[in-house]
Amino acid sequence: MTFEELKIELSDCSSLSFPDATQRLQERIYALDRAHTIQLVSQIGSIPEDIGHDSTEEKLYAKVSDILLAKSLIEMNLEATVLTQRADCADVVAQSHYHRYSLVGDAKAFRLSRTARNAKDYKVNSMAIWKGDSEYAVLVCPYFQYPKSNSQIYKEALSGNIALFSWEYLYILLKEGIRESSSINLSALWNQSGIISKTTTVSNSKSCFLNQQNQNISKILKITPEKFYEYFNSVKELIVERGNTEIQYYEQEIERVKQLNREEAIAELLRNLKLESKIATIRGFIDQINVRDLER
């Protein structure tokens, strides 16, 4: 299943009840081979702009991100389940076959046109509650959508030992064929915030620690920093490509609106839809990640 085929599947499922649609999507995604799973993991972090806000498709897209997180954990030889009840809890639970630990997971996807997010969007404090009796809690977001510098979420993650994971990390793990076994324990991946907190001072508790985490993860996976960042660059190229696709969508929308008869209606629509602003936001995001060098 390609990403475009996933979008078609979401549209087809939108007429079903939410439980039936979720079941159908889970069956399709769980049946994917590793290569197609990797392809979706590389794209899922960005919600397509042609999926309506608060639409059924958008809600199903969010559920697919949870399913894809569970599928990725299964590919790494963990036992993972997507929770179906819509309660105040994490969306994914998993446990190790070999090392007697469990984790809860929550997946996030954001629109490229969305402006700056705040700490509440990441629900890090909620993850600390949802962790319950599990040893670890793993939040999976698009890497480049995490704050670049100081943020409350880093302090919250360190305090509650919430792993600030990313789709890019999952991409690397799957590309490397990482699987837990009796001799391979992946718990250090989920415990990164706990590990980093031991060397973080109170004054630096809000500082972005992702660069340190990158170094730690590359060592755990026993790959060179150069190879680690090659993987990152591969995904970054896909993000830029997606960004340009979303810009084209809004440019086409602008042309469609311009075909309307009444000029005042056209101007009002453009103001209300904020299409030029959305394009500018995506362009800014693309420019930002093109010039942003990951520290090694």
Side-chain angles (χ1 to χ4, degrees):
M1 180 191 292
T2 65
F3 188 74
E4 288 303 315
E5 289 171 340
L6 172 62
K7 289 172 61 178
I8 294 171
E9 189 72 19
L10 289 171
S11 179
D12 291 344
C13 287
S14 63
S15 60
L16 304 175
S17 68
F18 195 83
D20 288 346
T22 298
Q23 180 64 31
R24 174 171 160 177
L25 289 165
Q26 181 167 308
E27 289 174 356
R28 289 292 309 276
I29 291 172
Y30 275 19
L32 295 177
D33 60 21
R34 180 181 291 258
H36 285 97
T37 300
I38 291 171
Q39 184 177 12
L40 291 186
V41 164
S42 70
Q43 298 264 11
I44 198 68
S46 301
I47 302 173
E49 300 294 336
D50 58 358
I51 290 181
H53 286 268
D54 297 322
S55 64
T56 299
E57 287 93 336
E58 186 179 62
K59 293 178 175 64
L60 289 174
Y61 191 95
K63 182 54 66 174
V64 165
S65 69
D66 295 325
I67 296 169
L68 198 55
L69 169 55
K71 167 67 169 171
S72 299
L73 294 172
I74 291 169
E75 287 287 340
M76 288 183 274
N77 211 19
L78 275 71
E79 182 179 337
T81 304
V82 179
L83 300 181
T84 56
Q85 68 267 30
R86 306 189 69 176
D88 188 22
C89 63
D91 293 308
V92 176
V93 294
Q95 60 183 11
S96 170
H97 293 291
Y98 301 96
H99 302 290
R100 301 173 67 90
Y101 70 78
S102 62
L103 63 85
V104 299
D106 195 48
K108 298 292 183 187
F110 298 114
R111 294 178 183 271
L112 294 180
S113 62
R114 186 175 173 184
T115 55
R117 284 157 293 284
N118 55 46
K120 292 187 293 184
D121 293 317
Y122 298 93
K123 297 183 179 180
V124 177
N125 279 336
S126 296
M127 292 291 290
I129 297 171
W130 297 340
K131 184 164 61 172
D133 294 330
S134 294
E135 285 79 9
Y136 308 110
V138 181
L139 176 64
V140 179
C141 291
Y143 180 89
F144 292 103
Q145 299 276 19
Y146 279 120
K148 293 186 297 182
S149 55
N150 289 356
S151 173
Q152 182 69 22
I153 71 165
Y154 297 117
K155 181 177 181 179
E156 293 170 354
L158 295 176
S159 175
N161 191 17
I162 310 303
L164 298 186
F165 228 64
S166 75
W167 294 109
E168 288 79 0
Y169 291 154
L170 289 179
Y171 173 86
I172 294 171
L173 289 165
L174 295 176
K175 288 287 282 187
E176 284 289 304
I178 302 299
R179 289 173 61 84
E180 194 168 73
S181 66
S182 58
S183 60
I184 298 175
N185 187 337
L186 299 181
S187 62
L189 293 172
W190 327 127
N191 193 39
Q192 278 301 297
S193 290
I195 293 169
I196 293 171
S197 68
K198 294 178 181 178
T199 57
T200 303
T201 63
V202 174
S203 61
N204 291 328
S205 61
K206 292 185 179 181
S207 299
C208 176
F209 55 73
L210 296 181
N211 287 323
Q212 179 61 55
Q213 184 167 268
N214 292 345
Q215 295 174 33
N216 294 350
I217 291 176
S218 65
K219 289 178 182 177
I220 291 169
L221 302 184
K222 298 180 180 179
I223 61 177
T224 64
E226 289 75 19
K227 187 172 185 181
F228 186 86
Y229 290 112
E230 282 177 11
Y231 281 133
F232 257 98
N233 286 332
S234 296
V235 178
K236 189 164 73 171
E237 289 174 4
L238 292 174
I239 295 172
V240 171
E241 183 179 336
R242 277 287 306 281
N244 288 324
T245 298
E246 307 301 357
I247 288 172
Q248 290 174 6
Y249 165 73
Y250 279 123
E251 289 175 339
Q252 291 168 0
E253 281 293 283
I254 290 173
E255 292 305 311
R256 180 186 64 80
V257 171
K258 285 182 177 179
Q259 297 304 311
L260 298 176
N261 293 325
R262 300 178 62 179
E263 290 297 323
E264 291 182 0
I266 293 173
E268 184 68 23
L269 279 170
L270 289 174
R271 284 196 297 272
N272 289 340
L273 294 174
K274 300 179 181 178
L275 302 180
E276 295 283 3
S277 174
K278 292 178 186 293
I279 290 174
T281 300
I282 297 175
R283 285 195 195 280
F285 181 82
I286 291 172
D287 292 341
Q288 177 191 108
I289 68 171
N290 273 334
V291 301
R292 180 180 173 187
D293 292 325
L294 296 170
E295 296 179 10
R296 305 189 181 186

